[in-house]
Amino acid sequence: MIGVAVVMTAGTRPVRARLARAGSTVLAGSLLAVVAACSQGGLGGTPTPGGSPGGSTAPRPAAPAPKEAGFTLVASGDVLPHDSIIRRAAEDAGGGGYDFRPMLAGAKGVVSRADLAICHMETVYGKDGGPYTGYPAFKSPPEIAAALKATGYDSCSTASNHTLDDGAAGLGRTLDALDAAGVKHAGSARTAAEAARPTLLKAGGATVAQLAYTYDTNGYPLPEGKPWAVNLLDESKVIADARAARAAGADVVVVSVHWGTEWQTEPDERQLSLARALTASAVGGRPDIDLVIGTHAHVPQAYEKVNGTWVIYGMGDQIAGDMINHQGAFDPRGNQSSVGRFTFAPPKRPGARWEVTKAEFVPQWFDTGRGRVVNLGAADGSDPRHPGIRETIRQVVLGRGADKDGLTLGK
């Protein structure tokens, strides 16, 4: 310590001279002063020009505030476990329950790399151990929730025409299982308080709200005394909820909508009119809704930028068995889908919206023969079916001119 002290300066006076003149008592006091200087960052530092004899320095300027970070968001289509899907999950589990992770593995590369990933859980879950059923009244194995988490999903919309297939009990089991797996959810609720709270998620430097709604519940009435159990699609409610989400701290508001006409690749008139109304709604020039993502039609539908906001009319089925259309025929489009991927950048000025700086779609296909999701954006084309399916999806997705607004095919 003495060796260090003799080469230090305290203010503008050499410590070496002070130590040479001092006796042992003074030496001890000087060492204490040097130690104090060390604790204030004096060791190894350069004296501040104009510093006082006591060694004080001019205040340092405050560090600039860190810039907000942007983020990527992905959204995918309906998870619809038919009987054949349930059987496949049992086989993949090797006789010990149900394992949905292998069939979702093909989506993991896209989903897990995103800062925020949203799925659509079409069905409700049955009791542990079953029985489990497919169409028309679904009760799916709750092990799906853990598989969604393992794939990289952060949240799922749970408002669909099948949300009340097993009443309030099925709805509750589904949300309980998602909670246990660490997957957030929006669109259905167990209590009035839960229904009143927006689902808030963190991504990059943003707080993102997910809201979710369905056009109907297949004629099943809302549970008695629980009118809030499932969010039904209504323009005024969606806008009011979006504004409430902003008030709760949301920087970005994403609306999941279960809508459209089954087996129709073109969006129907209600989808078009509602998309126009939702994207036109704004307060103080700032849109209330930043992204609309659609499900339900069982086939891919177009992407479109409406009033400056991206709308996916329908992503198609991410997981489903062999799909039979309304004419009673197998329809391969029922196993085709897209994943939307959007890159958001922070606002350029206070009070402005977070802007989508990059918009992509990733074509996917569920191979029912193998029971596996196939990422067609990354497929090498070795399967002769891949290029044809990818092109079919591409044409539908770009059918309303989204490429002219910058939408590109991603991997």
Side-chain angles (χ1 to χ4, degrees):
M1 185 65 189
I2 294 174
V4 175
V6 297
V7 297
M8 289 301 301
T9 60
T12 59
R13 292 174 296 171
V15 175
R16 181 188 299 274
R18 197 173 351 137
L19 291 179
R21 295 192 302 269
S24 59
T25 302
V26 177
L27 174 61
S30 298
L31 291 176
L32 288 174
V34 172
V35 172
C38 293
S39 68
Q40 297 171 12
L43 275 180
T46 302
T48 303
S52 68
S56 62
T57 59
R60 295 180 181 178
K67 292 184 177 180
E68 292 177 301
F71 66 95
T72 55
L73 179 150
V74 301
S76 57
D78 308 48
V79 176
L80 188 58
H82 291 93
D83 289 330
S84 60
I85 299 298
I86 296 170
R87 291 194 296 269
R88 170 65 67 176
E91 293 171 11
D92 286 337
Y98 301 86
D99 189 354
F100 293 86
R101 291 172 299 176
M103 67 178 67
L104 280 164
K108 187 172 183 177
V110 174
V111 173
S112 64
R113 289 199 304 266
D115 296 302
L116 178 60
I118 294 175
C119 79
H120 175 63
M121 190 64 243
E122 171 91 2
T123 63
V124 294
Y125 301 157
K127 298 177 182 178
D128 287 338
Y132 303 123
T133 56
Y135 182 83
F138 290 86
K139 284 190 289 187
S140 306
E143 287 90 340
I144 298 174
L148 293 170
K149 180 66 175 180
T151 306
Y153 286 106
D154 301 291
S155 186
C156 294
S157 56
T158 55
S160 81
N161 56 314
H162 291 287
T163 303
L164 293 177
D165 278 6
D166 200 32
L171 182 159
R173 286 193 301 268
T174 305
L175 303 189
D176 289 346
L178 290 169
D179 284 345
V183 178
K184 290 193 174 184
H185 42 81
S188 58
R190 292 157 289 198
T191 66
E194 182 176 45
R197 290 191 303 268
T199 299
L200 298 178
L201 309 150
K202 294 298 293 184
T207 297
V208 180
Q210 184 193 8
L211 310 175
Y213 307 85
T214 178
Y215 75 97
D216 193 23
T217 57
N218 283 352
Y220 290 111
L222 291 167
E224 187 175 354
K226 299 180 178 181
W228 35 258
V230 184
N231 283 342
L232 298 178
L233 185 55
D234 174 79
E235 176 187 329
S236 59
K237 176 173 173 54
V238 177
I239 292 171
D241 289 350
R243 292 176 178 175
R246 285 268 193 248
D251 301 301
V252 174
V253 176
V254 178
V255 175
S256 300
V257 278
H258 202 66
W259 60 354
T261 302
E262 291 183 343
W263 300 108
Q264 182 173 305
T265 55
E266 286 293 324
D268 63 28
E269 184 50 44
R270 190 183 185 207
Q271 287 175 285
L272 294 172
S273 62
L274 193 53
R276 289 191 295 267
L278 294 181
T279 57
S281 178
V283 173
R286 182 185 184 184
D288 294 319
I289 294 161
D290 299 291
L291 179 65
V292 178
I293 50 179
T295 56
H296 173 61
H298 300 309
V299 293
Q301 293 184 319
Y303 291 42
E304 186 176 21
K305 206 169 189 181
V306 184
N307 295 318
T309 295
W310 282 105
V311 175
I312 306 177
Y313 291 107
M315 293 176 283
D317 294 337
Q318 183 176 48
I319 288 181
D322 288 327
M323 294 293 290
I324 307 301
N325 61 27
H326 293 317
Q327 286 70 48
F330 166 68
D331 194 326
R333 297 176 304 156
N335 298 115
Q336 300 171 7
S337 69
S338 73
V339 173
R341 182 164 59 205
F342 301 90
T343 301
F344 282 84
K348 296 178 181 178
R349 64 182 187 280
R353 78 186 307 187
W354 285 63
E355 294 283 354
V356 173
T357 57
K358 188 176 185 180
E360 303 168 273
F361 72 99
V362 181
Q364 290 195 343
W365 171 55
F366 189 75
D367 183 349
T368 56
R370 296 189 304 117
R372 299 290 185 263
V373 170
V374 179
N375 177 356
L376 295 175
D380 60 9
S382 58
D383 187 319
R385 295 171 293 182
H386 292 171
I389 298 170
R390 180 168 52 239
E391 179 60 19
T392 297
I393 297 169
R394 190 191 70 83
Q395 289 184 12
V396 171
V397 166
L398 301 180
R400 295 184 67 83
D403 53 334
K404 295 180 179 62
D405 283 314
L407 184 70
T408 59
L409 190 152
K411 294 185 178 181

